[in-house]
Amino acid sequence: MRTPFYEIHKLLNAKIVNFHGWDMPLEYSGIIGEHVNVRKNIGLFDVSHMGRFRIKGPNAYEVMQNLVTNDISKLNDNHGLYSPMCYETGGIVDDVIVYRIDKENFLLVVNASNREKDLEWVVQHSSSVDIENVSDKIALLAIQGPLAQKALQRMIESNLEMLLPFDIITSNIFGVKCMISRTGYTGEDGFEIFFDSSEIEIWNKIMESASSFNIKPAGLGARDTLRLEAGLMLYGNDIDETTSPLEVPLKWTVKFEKEFIGKKAIMNREITRKLVGFEVLERRIARHGNEVLVNGLISGVVTSGSFSPTLKKSIGFCFVPSHVLLDQLIEIKIGDKQYQAKVGSTRFYKRT
């Protein structure tokens, strides 16, 4: 599968990799350079591989409230929130963003790896509403970085100063109707732009318009290191159908005062492990799947790990027993050796 911008990525000499069946750019000029540029200036990401579903009808609000663990009663029109969707067993179907356009009209954005599974799940639990999979009809670009607002303001009619995090508005970009949300997956300020997938020239127009802000295209490699620094989890690595939202830093998204699929199982499940951040204290990089030892015993596994271009050290997430404390020393098996690491928060970087 390919996004509408595949040929542009090829012209930019991107390194293309298979990402859950999608031919996607891993990098263009280098992962570290793209990462640093997002932290300092702006990066442009093609995220059209993610799923977009429209849920409409008089019962749309009730359906969405039942599907997600977070509370959409707090949403005004044209605002969104982040939330897990859970199975009856309490495991996570996916982590998603729900935008309320109005009480009878919602937009659900899901992970690329889960598009088909999520659509089937939503359809299965949404018999009283109309569901449209608009993933192929609507392109999705993300412009991320501290200069994103200044750069994007030149391109659109709406006043971005008024756009709060997770707001979504209808506007025009280069004369093309679009929706713009203030969200992202990098830890920086940023925006995601939804528009008709036939309007592929918008990529080049954004790059040209924002050239004075040192915009660069950024691929999946930088996206992964940026989200790891910012403490943002990746479905399939850090969370999956076996994970309770209470085992990872998602307790704030689970609202037990309302009803939702999986509520009883989540409440009744004994929590014996937790996802933590770690820093490797030696010059080695931990990767997904490495064993974690606590007091000499294999007690968990690394879910995400990488070198942090911002912090200049090896960081990651891992599961450990619930009794493990912040700043406690653990060991991670990398190759045939064990290396010391220090437990910390899953959030390594916070923008100023």
Side-chain angles (χ1 to χ4, degrees):
M1 296 177 286
R2 295 172 176 174
T3 77
F5 306 100
Y6 174 79
E7 295 300 331
I8 292 176
H9 303 320
K10 293 289 286 184
L11 288 172
L12 292 171
N13 294 316
K15 180 180 180 180
I16 302 296
V17 296
N18 184 305
F19 180 74
H20 297 286
W22 290 86
D23 288 336
M24 293 295 294
L26 177 69
E27 59 182 304
Y28 301 85
S29 56
I31 292 172
I32 292 179
E34 293 165 23
H35 176 115
V36 171
N37 194 61
V38 172
R39 290 276 180 252
K40 291 184 174 180
N41 301 302
I42 323 171
L44 181 63
F45 298 82
D46 176 11
V47 289
S48 301
H49 58 316
M50 298 183 72
R52 279 87 71 204
F53 311 146
R54 286 195 176 276
I55 294 92
K56 294 182 179 181
N59 296 322
Y61 170 85
E62 289 77 14
V63 164
M64 293 308 305
Q65 186 74 310
N66 186 52
L67 277 170
V68 299
T69 66
N70 212 332
D71 187 3
I72 65 170
S73 70
K74 300 175 181 178
L75 292 181
N76 295 319
D77 290 353
N78 299 312
H79 193 69
L81 54 69
Y82 170 85
S83 179
M85 291 192 300
C86 286
Y87 293 105
E88 288 90 346
T89 58
I92 299 173
V93 179
D94 201 1
D95 59 327
V96 303
I97 297 180
V98 181
Y99 295 105
R100 170 178 163 151
I101 309 304
D102 58 54
K103 195 172 183 179
E104 297 186 6
N105 183 5
F106 289 81
L107 176 65
L108 185 65
V109 180
V110 307
N111 283 300
S113 60
N114 292 334
R115 271 173 57 160
E116 298 306 319
K117 179 189 76 173
D118 286 359
L119 181 60
E120 182 179 343
W121 180 257
V122 172
V123 168
Q124 183 181 343
H125 295 87
S126 308
S127 58
S128 59
V129 296
D130 294 324
I131 301 165
E132 183 182 7
N133 181 2
V134 295
S135 305
D136 295 331
K137 296 180 181 179
I138 298 178
L140 183 56
L141 296 178
I143 181 168
Q144 300 281 302
L147 303 181
Q149 179 180 315
K150 288 183 178 180
L152 186 58
Q153 189 63 77
R154 291 183 173 185
M155 310 175 206
I156 68 165
E157 301 170 352
S158 304
N159 181 8
L160 293 178
E161 289 281 356
M162 306 300 293
L163 199 64
L164 299 176
F166 283 86
D167 278 355
I168 187 166
I169 57 170
T170 300
S171 187
N172 287 284
I173 183 167
F174 305 115
V176 175
K177 185 177 179 181
C178 67
M179 291 190 299
I180 298 173
S181 63
R182 195 166 203 154
T183 54
Y185 193 55
T186 64
E188 297 297 337
D189 186 22
F191 304 85
E192 293 187 328
I193 309 164
F194 305 74
F195 55 91
D196 191 285
S197 58
S198 66
E199 305 284 354
I200 59 172
E201 72 281 357
I202 286 178
W203 173 284
N204 290 328
K205 290 181 178 180
I206 290 175
M207 292 296 295
E208 181 180 356
S209 177
S211 60
S212 62
F213 295 95
N214 294 316
I215 191 171
K216 291 181 180 179
L220 293 177
R223 183 171 162 87
D224 192 52
T225 53
L226 288 160
R227 67 93 189 168
L228 178 59
E229 288 183 349
L232 303 172
M233 290 170 288
L234 175 63
Y235 192 92
N237 278 41
D238 311 305
I239 55 176
D240 58 26
E241 68 277 0
T242 69
T243 313
S244 166
L246 305 187
E247 296 175 318
V248 296
L250 290 179
K251 186 176 181 180
W252 63 275
T253 68
V254 182
K255 309 301 183 184
F256 288 118
E257 61 270 22
K258 55 156 253 186
E259 294 301 319
F260 59 85
I261 299 170
K263 175 180 174 178
K264 184 176 181 181
I266 293 172
M267 292 180 70
N268 293 336
R269 181 167 171 173
E270 181 183 4
I271 303 301
T272 59
R273 64 174 187 165
K274 62 183 178 181
L275 190 75
V276 298
F278 66 82
E279 170 192 349
V280 180
L281 300 181
E282 302 173 71
R283 294 178 62 85
R284 290 300 301 269
I285 298 174
R287 300 293 187 187
H288 175 77
N290 289 153
E291 292 178 338
V292 175
L293 292 87
V294 179
N295 298 324
L297 299 175
I298 296 174
S299 304
V301 66
V302 172
T303 60
S304 289
S306 181
F307 173 76
S308 164
T310 304
L311 306 175
K312 304 290 192 296
K313 57 189 179 183
S314 174
I315 62 172
F317 305 150
C318 67
F319 276 109
V320 294
S322 298
H323 60 76
V324 171
L325 303 174
L326 288 179
D327 296 325
Q328 183 169 335
L329 294 181
I330 58 175
E331 292 181 315
I332 297 176
K333 188 176 181 182
I334 305 172
D336 295 328
K337 292 185 65 178
Q338 296 168 14
Y339 297 87
Q340 278 199 330
K342 183 170 70 172
V343 172
S345 167
T346 52
R347 190 166 188 177
F348 301 95
Y349 167 85
K350 187 176 182 180
R351 73 175 185 267
T352 55

